[in-house]
Amino acid sequence: MCFYDQMTPYGEWTVGRGMESPSPDANLLELVLTQENVDWAWAKVRSNKGKPGVDKVTVEDFPAVLATKWKDIRQLILTGNYTPSPVKRVEIPKDTGGKRPLGIPIVQDRLIQQAISQVLTPIFDPMFSNFSYGYRPGKSAKDAVLQAREFIRQGYKVVVDTDLSKFFDTVEHDVLMHRVSRKVKDKGLLRLLGKILRAGVSIKGRLQETVRGVPQGGPLSPLLANIMLDDFDKELERRGLRFVRYADDFCIFVKTMRSGQRVAASIKAFLKRKLKLTVNESKSKVRKANELEYLGFQFKGNDIRWSDKAYLEFRRRVKEYTGRSWGVSMSFRLKRLAQYLRGWMGYFGIAKYYTPIPLIDSWLRRRIRACFWKTWRRVRTRVRELLKLGVPLKVTLLTAVSRQGPWHLSRTKATQMGMHDKWLAEQGLISVKDLWTRIHYPATAR
């Protein structure tokens, strides 16, 4: 899952819809199940799409289930007899390499979780720290990165970079539910939340109990993570520390290595004692800010640039979209590539890191030329297409009959003359340089 295409699933409750926060003492379960709330939740689940869970029912197929069974499902929830299904465990690639475990609830449970989240978010979110940025209305990973940069610019150039060991898999249910129950008094809703947490995980068809943990992937997981770590945020604020947190990924900024070592030891003890969470010693370190990688960025001097890992992942994804064995039309390929490039630059483009931008554009153009060449399989087709693009006959013939592969020929005089930059743009290839310029110099952007 990418930082730049993660969507907060509940932000419109207070931002877009202008609804007031419900009273924690109200019958929240009935509010969760109101037709308006369920309809809104279904719109969110449907727009987020996603793969089917263990029951193999897709988002497209679910409306038929909703129409025929929702009345009975609603009654089961109200009477406390509803049993959520186990989540399906899969692994997805991270932005910066490696894989992350993800739990996929069935669509029916996604709907219920989304409906719950929409009611609980306006109760909990206003009390969260301003320095908590993950999956919150009006906040983003970019905001966390920019705040981290601001702390560094203020002179806090030592970072307590802490990794929680398998946070989402090790959350103690009783610790989490205690924090939920501080604001939620509806026993029916608390009972349903407990069942969701204990629903179990299906790993390659085998059921595994969940005696602890909050599986990533459901609409409720981000909110529950923020509830769990809110006490930690408040403790850091009480101590007057500068920090940023995005879900379970957080950094604390201090001025000296000695202060950093002291803070690292004390927060480790706090997390273990109060929240029963363990710090991953091998991935946690007190380091200078210019050694920090956070949310896909590196911090160099007083500024930022995308990390080497993030860039390697970018190249891997681009190679997928421009792979010559991908059997799709060029128009579809260019459309998908444009979507990815806009999303990537929309996130990483906050870095004023221009040096590699022209090289990226040149590399993209060459890969797309190679894709076009691969589609022109026959010599006759290549001759016809190059002549149509205005390439002289002699140059066309020398290239068209060559036995070299598409990658080599994508850099020849014929292909670069015919498939020039303007022509590629007309076909749908967007320029990373143009995207970067629009972000940093909008007045001069084309």
Side-chain angles (χ1 to χ4, degrees):
M1 183 179 294
C2 301
F3 297 121
Y4 48 86
D5 60 16
Q6 291 171 351
M7 299 298 292
T8 304
Y10 36 69
E12 291 88 341
W13 179 269
T14 54
V15 177
R17 290 163 63 90
M19 298 185 71
E20 296 181 358
S21 172
S23 168
D25 298 321
N27 189 331
L28 296 180
L29 190 57
E30 286 196 359
L31 184 55
V32 166
L33 296 172
T34 60
Q35 191 65 52
E36 180 188 13
N37 192 51
V38 172
D39 287 345
W40 180 37
W42 169 239
K44 295 297 294 183
V45 170
R46 183 177 55 197
S47 66
N48 289 337
K49 299 180 181 178
K51 296 184 178 180
V54 294
D55 64 353
K56 299 182 180 179
V57 175
T58 66
V59 172
E60 292 75 19
D61 295 337
F62 185 69
V65 176
L66 189 64
T68 58
K69 296 184 179 180
W70 177 247
K71 184 177 180 180
D72 293 336
I73 293 168
R74 185 179 187 279
Q75 187 60 29
L76 287 172
I77 294 172
L78 286 172
T79 57
N81 294 313
Y82 180 77
T83 302
S85 296
V87 300
K88 181 180 178 181
R89 173 68 61 87
V90 297
E91 290 187 331
I92 61 170
K94 295 182 180 180
D95 278 16
T96 51
K99 293 188 176 181
R100 172 187 291 111
L102 185 71
I104 304 177
I106 64 172
V107 179
Q108 180 173 296
D109 287 340
R110 295 210 291 268
L111 172 66
I112 294 167
Q113 288 190 35
Q114 179 64 38
I116 295 171
S117 180
Q118 290 168 182
V119 170
L120 294 187
T121 294
I123 293 174
F124 284 95
D125 191 82
M127 305 303 294
F128 289 154
S129 168
N130 288 332
F131 301 102
S132 167
Y133 295 91
Y135 305 97
R136 296 186 58 197
K139 291 182 177 288
S140 69
K142 285 198 298 186
D143 295 327
V145 171
L146 293 174
Q147 181 61 69
R149 184 183 67 178
E150 180 60 27
F151 285 143
I152 293 169
R153 288 178 172 179
Q154 290 172 7
Y156 296 87
K157 297 183 182 292
V158 174
V159 185
V160 182
D161 184 11
T162 309
D163 183 85
L164 293 177
S165 183
K166 298 181 179 179
F167 168 74
F168 281 92
D169 292 331
T170 59
V171 169
E172 294 287 348
H173 292 166
D174 59 339
V175 178
L176 172 59
M177 291 303 296
H178 171 68
R179 280 151 179 78
V180 175
S181 64
R182 290 173 181 172
K183 292 183 174 295
V184 175
K185 306 304 179 185
D186 188 319
K187 292 183 179 179
L189 182 53
L190 292 173
R191 188 185 307 116
L192 178 59
L193 287 170
K195 286 186 174 184
I196 290 171
L197 292 173
R198 298 188 301 272
V201 175
S202 176
I203 304 175
K204 295 182 179 180
R206 298 183 64 180
L207 181 62
Q208 179 178 306
E209 291 184 0
T210 47
V211 296
R212 63 176 61 85
V214 180
Q216 296 185 71
L220 261 176
S221 301
L223 175 61
L224 294 179
N226 281 332
I227 292 172
M228 181 70 181
L229 290 171
D230 186 54
D231 280 5
F232 176 62
D233 295 342
K234 296 300 193 295
E235 176 66 13
L236 297 180
E237 289 179 337
R238 186 187 67 79
R239 298 185 191 185
L241 293 168
R242 278 77 175 168
F243 72 97
V244 293
R245 181 173 67 79
Y246 188 88
D248 62 325
D249 202 347
F250 64 89
C251 294
I252 303 168
F253 297 83
V254 295
K255 290 191 173 182
T256 67
M257 295 294 290
R258 186 175 179 180
S259 295
Q261 297 290 354
R262 185 173 62 250
V263 168
S266 64
I267 65 166
K268 176 184 173 182
F270 178 87
L271 288 165
K272 186 68 176 178
R273 184 178 71 256
K274 293 290 187 180
L275 301 180
K276 299 183 181 179
L277 296 172
T278 303
V279 170
N280 186 331
E281 299 285 357
S282 65
K283 294 184 179 181
S284 302
K285 187 178 179 180
V286 179
R287 65 182 84 232
K288 294 180 179 178
N290 61 10
E291 300 172 353
L292 176 65
E293 288 190 14
Y294 185 59
L295 299 179
F297 285 89
Q298 295 173 328
F299 296 78
K300 300 297 181 181
N302 287 330
D303 225 320
I304 54 176
R305 62 177 61 180
W306 53 77
S307 70
D308 294 339
K309 288 182 180 179
Y311 184 56
L312 286 174
E313 176 62 12
F314 167 78
R315 288 180 67 91
R316 186 192 70 80
R317 290 287 295 275
V318 168
K319 286 179 180 179
E320 284 185 358
Y321 290 121
T322 58
R324 295 186 291 280
S325 59
W326 190 21
V328 297
S329 68
M330 286 302 298
S331 60
F332 180 80
R333 181 194 300 275
L334 289 167
K335 179 181 178 182
R336 292 294 301 274
L337 178 62
Q339 290 172 344
Y340 178 73
L341 293 176
R342 287 191 180 99
W344 196 86
M345 188 51 64
Y347 181 68
F348 288 102
I350 59 173
K352 291 185 177 180
Y353 183 37
Y354 179 76
T355 302
I357 296 293
L359 296 176
I360 292 173
D361 268 344
S362 177
W363 177 64
L364 285 168
R365 288 192 293 266
R366 186 176 178 186
R367 290 195 66 85
I368 293 301
R369 288 189 186 107
C371 289
F372 274 109
W373 191 260
K374 179 70 178 292
T375 64
W376 303 340
R377 296 180 181 276
R378 302 177 64 182
V379 172
R380 183 181 298 176
T381 305
R382 293 170 179 175
V383 171
R384 184 183 69 243
E385 294 297 333
L386 287 175
L387 290 175
K388 190 190 303 181
L389 293 172
V391 182
L393 178 61
K394 183 178 179 180
V395 179
T396 292
L397 292 174
L398 286 172
T399 307
V401 299
S402 173
R403 293 183 179 274
Q404 296 283 356
W407 180 245
H408 175 85
L409 295 173
S410 65
R411 205 172 184 180
T412 61
K413 181 179 179 180
T415 54
Q416 293 191 81
M417 182 186 298
M419 292 181 276
H420 50 76
D421 298 359
K422 183 178 179 182
W423 183 85
L424 290 172
E426 290 170 350
Q427 308 314 303
L429 178 62
I430 64 174
S431 165
V432 173
K433 178 182 176 180
D434 286 349
L435 294 174
W436 187 91
T437 303
R438 289 190 189 107
I439 293 169
H440 295 285
Y441 304 101
T444 61
R446 288 186 295 174

